[in-house]
Amino acid sequence: MLQQKVLALLEQRRGELITGGEIARRLGVSRTAVWKAVNRLREDGSEIESVRNSGYRLLDSSDGLSEPAIRAGLTARSMGGQIELRKAIPSTNQYLKAQDTAVLPEGYTVIADEQTGGRGRMGRPFYSPARQGLYLSVLLKPTIALNETPFLTICAAVAVCNALETVCGIDAGIKWVNDIFCGGKKLCGILTEAFVSAEMQAVDYAIVGIGINTGDVAPEVAELATSVLAVTGQRGIRNRLAAEVLNQLDLMYIDFANGHKSTILAAYTGRLFILGKPVQVVQGSQTYPAVAEGLDENGALLVRRPDGTLQALRSGEIRLQEE
Ligand code: BTN
């Protein structure tokens, strides 16, 4: 699509003026076609300045999603091999699940500018306003047993933290099992859904959904949630962050496929900020106090109950005492 090609050119020289004539020449189209594409990009939220007789400039703050811009930062082997960008869909996880996943390659990625029905764990909604977050789902086809699926979330959590550090300089922490925090507030949530083949009782495919708040935080969630913008003041990072999340997920997934579980667990535990802290364990309708002690070799959280017994949690969630 011409729009995406124009955006890619502007993205390559973000902040610089490029004449309409140069863009038209390089893309083999008319200047009017370039002008129309720029207008459509603006309507979609890209911030493009036009300077009379000098050309167009993509502003540093512009945060429009662009596949070529994501590709420019992509070094992953299989993650993001094919990327589908959507404007507004209910949920990237749900959208991917509705595709013929058997014919899609591993690493197929869907990214939405907005989710109108974003979902989190335990059926909770995940607030996903237009252009204020990176909402992304990746298709995985791991050869693993069902009880190993928590590892996919663990890989994704480490990947997101590494990407946030590389692209935004953010030192994020993990709250078991799927939340990424910064400064005591949630910055990202991960929803992994595994689908089992009935005959084999093994994982047929899995969808890892990642939602990172990047822009404005709505006042109604500001007490609990934060964003890249709130933490660092940076805008315009969604394409670079998407690429780096995919790169990091690729590395973690290769480690996992090669059986390097202990390396992954060490990276995850290093970011786990609940260790040694008193927590409330929530399992269904039951809640009990405990102290988080670490992870076992399968990624289950080990908690010590007041009576001294050690329990391995595979599901449920924990709340910090202060929450
Ligand atoms: C949670 O906080 O419990 C998990 C939130 C996961 C949100 C992401 S955004 C992309 C993908 N699509 C969804 O509907 N959910 C995940």
Side-chain angles (χ1 to χ4, degrees):
M1 205 170 31
L2 180 61
Q3 237 172 289
Q4 286 294 316
K5 289 184 183 157
V6 171
L7 186 55
L9 267 183
L10 293 169
E11 183 80 58
Q12 269 170 19
R13 284 155 58 185
R14 196 183 260 256
E16 264 179 57
L17 274 169
I18 314 179
T19 64
E22 180 184 342
I23 301 174
R25 214 172 31 253
R26 289 185 57 181
L27 299 179
V29 296
S30 69
R31 285 166 61 150
T32 313
V34 171
W35 176 77
K36 282 187 185 157
V38 166
N39 282 342
R40 279 196 301 271
L41 285 166
R42 282 193 183 125
E43 279 161 24
D44 288 352
S46 290
E47 295 171 39
I48 301 168
E49 184 185 27
S50 51
V51 180
R52 221 174 136 74
N53 298 325
S54 297
Y56 303 105
R57 177 188 359 240
L58 184 66
L59 299 184
D60 284 337
S61 55
S62 184
D63 212 7
L65 289 171
S66 146
E67 184 177 344
I70 296 171
R71 291 225 167 275
L74 207 60
T75 52
R77 186 198 56 167
S78 65
M79 303 301 150
Q82 282 184 41
I83 298 175
E84 187 175 341
L85 294 185
R86 310 292 308 187
K87 239 172 136 175
I89 51 177
S91 150
T92 51
N93 269 34
Q94 211 176 51
Y95 177 86
L96 197 44
K97 194 163 52 174
Q99 308 307 304
D100 187 356
T101 50
V103 303
L104 294 181
E106 177 158 74
Y108 191 93
T109 301
V110 180
I111 308 178
D113 200 39
E114 173 184 6
Q115 294 186 120
T116 51
R119 293 175 308 127
R121 281 178 85 223
M122 325 262 173
R124 294 188 190 120
F126 185 80
Y127 189 55
S128 318
R131 292 192 292 282
Q132 308 308 323
L134 178 63
Y135 317 118
L136 161 163
S137 294
V138 187
L139 177 67
L140 300 179
K141 299 188 173 180
T143 32
I144 57 171
L146 197 53
N147 66 359
E148 288 181 295
T149 51
F151 256 97
L152 300 177
T153 304
I154 287 172
C155 286
V158 176
V160 168
C161 289
N162 290 347
L164 284 167
E165 186 153 354
T166 307
V167 176
C168 316
I170 291 178
D171 184 17
I174 299 171
K175 177 172 162 250
W176 185 84
V177 54
N178 67 324
D179 286 338
I180 311 297
F181 270 62
C182 184
K185 295 182 178 186
K186 182 162 162 172
L187 180 57
C188 163
I190 298 165
L191 176 65
T192 304
E193 298 180 273
F195 302 87
V196 180
S197 68
E199 321 85 70
M200 312 285 283
Q201 268 307 299
V203 173
D204 189 18
Y205 70 96
I207 293 173
V208 175
I210 296 170
I212 307 176
N213 305 323
T214 55
D216 296 323
V217 181
E220 57 268 37
V221 292
E223 221 172 279
L224 301 172
T226 190
S227 74
V228 171
L229 175 65
V231 174
T232 68
Q234 287 169 282
R235 283 190 195 269
I237 47 83
R238 285 196 304 172
N239 293 317
R240 273 182 295 143
L241 191 56
E244 196 54 26
V245 165
L246 292 168
N247 294 339
Q248 294 291 339
L249 186 61
D250 204 68
L251 294 175
M252 301 306 299
Y253 193 60
I254 291 171
D255 268 353
F256 183 41
N258 290 334
H260 301 150
K261 282 185 178 177
S262 54
T263 315
I264 299 168
L265 285 174
Y268 184 88
T269 311
R271 300 253 182 201
L272 204 57
F273 62 85
I274 55 166
L275 292 187
K277 293 197 176 155
V279 295
Q280 285 289 329
V281 177
V282 186
Q283 283 195 308
S285 56
Q286 275 201 326
T287 302
Y288 59 86
V291 174
E293 289 205 345
L295 292 186
D296 74 7
E297 68 282 4
N298 296 315
L301 183 70
L302 299 170
V303 293
R304 181 86 54 190
R305 298 185 73 154
D307 65 5
T309 52
L310 197 60
Q311 194 145 4
L313 303 179
R314 271 167 226 302
S315 59
E317 67 175 333
I318 51 116
R319 288 196 195 126
L320 286 170
Q321 296 289 36
E322 61 260 31
E323 278 182 272

